[in-house]
Amino acid sequence: MNSEISTQISTREATRDTPLGELTLRLSATPRGARLARRLTGHQLTAWGHPHGGDANHTAQQVVAELAANAVTHGRVPGRDFELRLLLLPEDTLRVEVSDARADRRLRIVTDPEEEGGRGLILVWVLARTWGVAERDIGKTVWAELPLRAPLRGPLHGRAT
């Protein structure tokens, strides 16, 4: 990581009102920026004790990839970046926030099998504990909260142990 990125990473002491760790980055609203968001998420989760090959890290990278791809495809405004924010919260929860500069485009979930694209938010819905959209002065933030420990049972996590 270059020094510009590493200076933006801050880890806070755990208190009731603050996250255990935080990463906030502004990235170019390009496919390269979206790929970088996914890679940096993997590195940050590893630094927070969730190894690169683990389920929590993989899930976080997948959610960031989908949200970042949406931000650069549908939320792009020429000359404006998108923002990735990762918050390590108590109770083994990761909050992912991806902000873009377009508030005029509503989120769309495509269920028609004949239509191309538009299924990324279904993946976010399945992987996240909860997710939503928050308006901003300029643009919007799509957020998702992910469990960092796999549930004992569930459709994506195999049989109960």
Side-chain angles (χ1 to χ4, degrees):
M1 258 191 284
N2 69 34
S3 61
E4 180 181 324
I5 292 171
S6 62
T7 59
Q8 295 179 37
I9 298 171
S10 65
T11 302
R12 300 178 184 173
E13 290 184 22
T15 68
R16 188 173 270 175
D17 298 330
T18 60
L20 303 173
E22 180 177 355
L23 168 70
T24 302
L25 300 169
R26 288 194 162 265
L27 300 160
S28 65
T30 62
R32 184 175 184 269
R35 284 190 306 272
L36 185 57
R38 180 180 181 148
R39 285 190 62 162
L40 292 172
T41 296
H43 290 295
Q44 187 60 51
L45 267 284
T46 298
W48 284 336
H50 300 279
H52 199 44
D55 288 341
N57 194 308
H58 178 75
T59 299
Q61 286 187 60
Q62 189 65 45
V63 168
V64 166
E66 293 299 334
L67 297 181
N70 283 350
V72 304
T73 304
H74 307 292
R76 184 175 185 275
V77 172
R80 299 274 179 114
D81 295 336
F82 76 96
E83 183 177 276
L84 169 67
R85 185 174 184 215
L86 304 176
L87 297 166
L88 184 60
L89 302 174
E91 300 179 20
D92 292 318
T93 300
L94 175 70
R95 183 176 173 101
V96 173
E97 298 177 354
V98 176
S99 302
D100 64 50
R102 298 244 4 210
D104 62 328
R105 292 201 177 168
R106 300 277 181 222
L107 296 183
R108 207 180 91 174
I109 297 177
V110 175
T111 56
D112 180 355
E114 299 299 317
E115 210 166 323
E116 288 186 32
R119 291 174 188 77
L121 289 176
I122 293 173
L123 185 62
V124 172
W125 177 75
V126 169
L127 295 174
R129 182 178 289 152
T130 185
W131 72 281
V133 180
E135 292 183 21
R136 298 167 33 127
D137 288 338
I138 298 175
K140 67 185 168 300
T141 298
V142 183
W143 58 269
E145 291 187 359
L146 310 172
L148 292 175
R149 280 196 279 180
L152 293 178
R153 62 173 58 192
L156 297 178
H157 300 288
R159 293 180 285 189
T161 54

